[in-house]
Amino acid sequence: MSPFYLARGASKLVRRITSETSVELKILSDKWRLLLAGLIFQYIHGLAAHGVHYLHRPGPTLQDLGFMILPELGKERGYISETLFTFIFLTFVLWTFHPFILQTKRFYTVLIWRRVLAFLCASQFLRIITFYATQLPGPNYHCREGSPLARLPPPQNAAEVFLINFPKGVIYGCGDLIFSSHMIFTLVFVITYQKYGSIRFCKMLAWCIAVAQSLLIISSRKHYSVDVVVAWYTVNLVVFFVDKKLTELPDRSVGSTSVLPVSTKDKDTKLKEENTRLLNGNSMDSADRRPRTQMNGKQIENESHVGSETVKT
């Protein structure tokens, strides 16, 4: 391929990214509140998971059907489930930003992430309630009896709690079991792609990967089977009910690519203009009224003329 065509393609790509960025920033300026609230709740969820670690008491691993059926991966192969989860997370993030690069697009990135964060926050809120209601002895290797990480000493200061001992406190947490946070993210991503994705094979593959992720979590002993099972039906129900309460996303794949959601400010302005016209007795535009009156007048005159001629004959 010649340098001319490469430069031409790069120029088109830059223009597309610039155009899409300006559109997304316009939407973000009106829809930023829910996005910010969702991001803040991610920190609250992490804080709650870190806090329950102080309550965790290691004990014998509970009897679990999944542990009986699935072979244990072992401590040295526990990275497999995390690798798959990282792949799921990164591919979903890249997919949500494809409108910046590809010409064919179905949604706005800002709006899809508002929806995703709403699903995540609702599911994580229920998760916080459940793992604080009952603390189970962690099945993970660093949460078992004899491990120095299984119990946390009382915090020395507030910073130790609010900073979540990052990243060690996130990687080696214990006690936040029911239900699996990894499965919350996985299922929300898969369900979202199922609705807004366009490639059928990728949709089927995504569900297969979600099942594989579930089995790997149990095999690596990071969660009990109940944590995964509860996540499957809870997240699906949460998405089903929350999705009904949210405004449907505009479909950009139909016709024009300039379909923008109406902002709250635009809605208020439009309502004020309509109310003003109604108060002034102008319920419709004069441009619409004049032709309609003339057409009706002509039609009435013609009909009466035809009627009189019929009577005469």
Side-chain angles (χ1 to χ4, degrees):
M1 190 177 289
S2 65
F4 171 75
Y5 287 108
L6 285 174
R8 187 178 178 184
S11 176
K12 284 184 178 180
L13 181 61
V14 169
R15 285 199 303 269
R16 191 176 299 144
I17 293 173
T18 305
S19 174
E20 188 68 24
T21 302
S22 64
V23 172
E24 294 285 354
L25 287 175
K26 183 179 179 181
I27 301 173
L28 181 62
S29 64
D30 185 62
K31 309 289 186 181
W32 61 272
R33 293 173 185 83
L34 186 58
L35 276 172
L36 181 61
L39 293 173
I40 292 173
F41 194 83
Q42 297 309 299
Y43 167 74
I44 294 172
H45 174 254
L47 188 64
H50 180 63
V52 80
H53 196 166
Y54 290 103
L55 305 176
H56 178 253
R57 297 295 177 266
T61 304
L62 302 178
Q63 186 172 341
D64 189 281
L65 185 62
F67 291 179
M68 297 177 187
I69 297 172
L70 297 173
E72 188 171 352
L73 287 177
K75 195 173 183 180
E76 64 281 357
R77 289 190 294 272
Y79 68 90
I80 297 176
S81 66
E82 289 299 325
T83 303
L84 182 59
F85 177 75
T86 303
F87 170 77
I88 295 169
F89 190 91
L90 292 179
T91 51
F92 180 80
V93 171
L94 290 174
W95 171 72
T96 60
F97 281 90
H98 83 268
F100 287 84
I101 300 173
L102 302 182
Q103 191 170 0
T104 56
K105 53 198 78 175
R106 292 188 61 187
F107 55 80
Y108 296 96
T109 301
V110 170
L111 298 183
I112 200 78
W113 273 106
R114 285 178 81 245
R115 215 172 191 84
V116 167
L117 284 170
F119 298 152
L120 290 175
C121 292
S123 301
Q124 289 166 340
F125 177 75
L126 295 176
R127 180 175 188 259
I128 292 171
I129 294 173
T130 54
F131 67 62
Y132 267 102
T134 302
Q135 289 89 46
L136 303 178
N140 210 335
Y141 302 102
H142 64 268
C143 298
R144 298 178 184 179
E145 289 180 304
S147 171
L149 301 172
R151 300 181 67 170
L152 288 181
Q156 301 298 320
N157 49 60
E160 187 178 334
V161 177
F162 288 104
L163 294 179
I164 320 178
N165 193 20
F166 187 84
K168 189 176 179 181
V170 176
I171 299 172
Y172 296 105
C174 297
D176 57 326
L177 293 175
I178 302 177
F179 43 96
S180 170
S181 179
H182 283 61
M183 288 310 302
I184 289 177
F185 280 91
T186 299
L187 290 171
V188 166
F189 292 167
V190 171
I191 294 169
T192 303
Y193 185 78
Q194 175 68 32
K195 184 172 183 179
Y196 298 105
S198 55
I199 304 175
R200 182 177 296 181
F201 172 75
C202 290
K203 293 180 182 181
M204 293 188 292
L205 180 62
W207 285 111
C208 293
I209 291 175
V211 172
Q213 177 69 29
S214 304
L215 299 177
L216 286 172
I217 288 173
I218 297 171
S219 292
S220 59
R221 303 303 187 252
K222 293 180 178 178
H223 278 277
Y224 292 108
S225 299
V226 65
D227 308 336
V228 175
V229 171
V230 170
W232 268 91
Y233 63 74
T234 303
V235 174
N236 276 280
L237 287 172
V238 165
V239 172
F240 176 77
F241 286 108
V242 174
D243 188 61
K244 284 188 170 184
K245 300 294 183 183
L246 298 175
T247 306
E248 188 52 67
L249 298 185
D251 191 353
R252 302 180 70 183
S253 63
V254 182
S256 174
T257 57
S258 61
V259 181
L260 279 172
V262 181
S263 65
T264 307
K265 191 181 296 184
D266 294 338
K267 285 181 181 178
D268 293 340
T269 305
K270 196 172 181 180
L271 283 172
K272 286 179 182 178
E273 290 176 356
E274 289 178 357
N275 289 333
T276 305
R277 285 202 300 268
L278 287 171
L279 289 172
N280 294 334
N282 300 325
S283 59
M284 61 179 71
D285 293 338
S286 58
D288 293 337
R289 190 191 302 114
R290 283 198 306 271
R292 201 171 297 161
T293 306
Q294 291 174 0
M295 288 174 63
N296 291 340
K298 286 183 179 180
Q299 188 175 1
I300 291 169
E301 290 173 4
N302 291 336
E303 286 177 356
S304 61
H305 182 66
V306 171
S308 62
E309 286 182 352
T310 306
V311 171
K312 286 178 183 179
T313 56

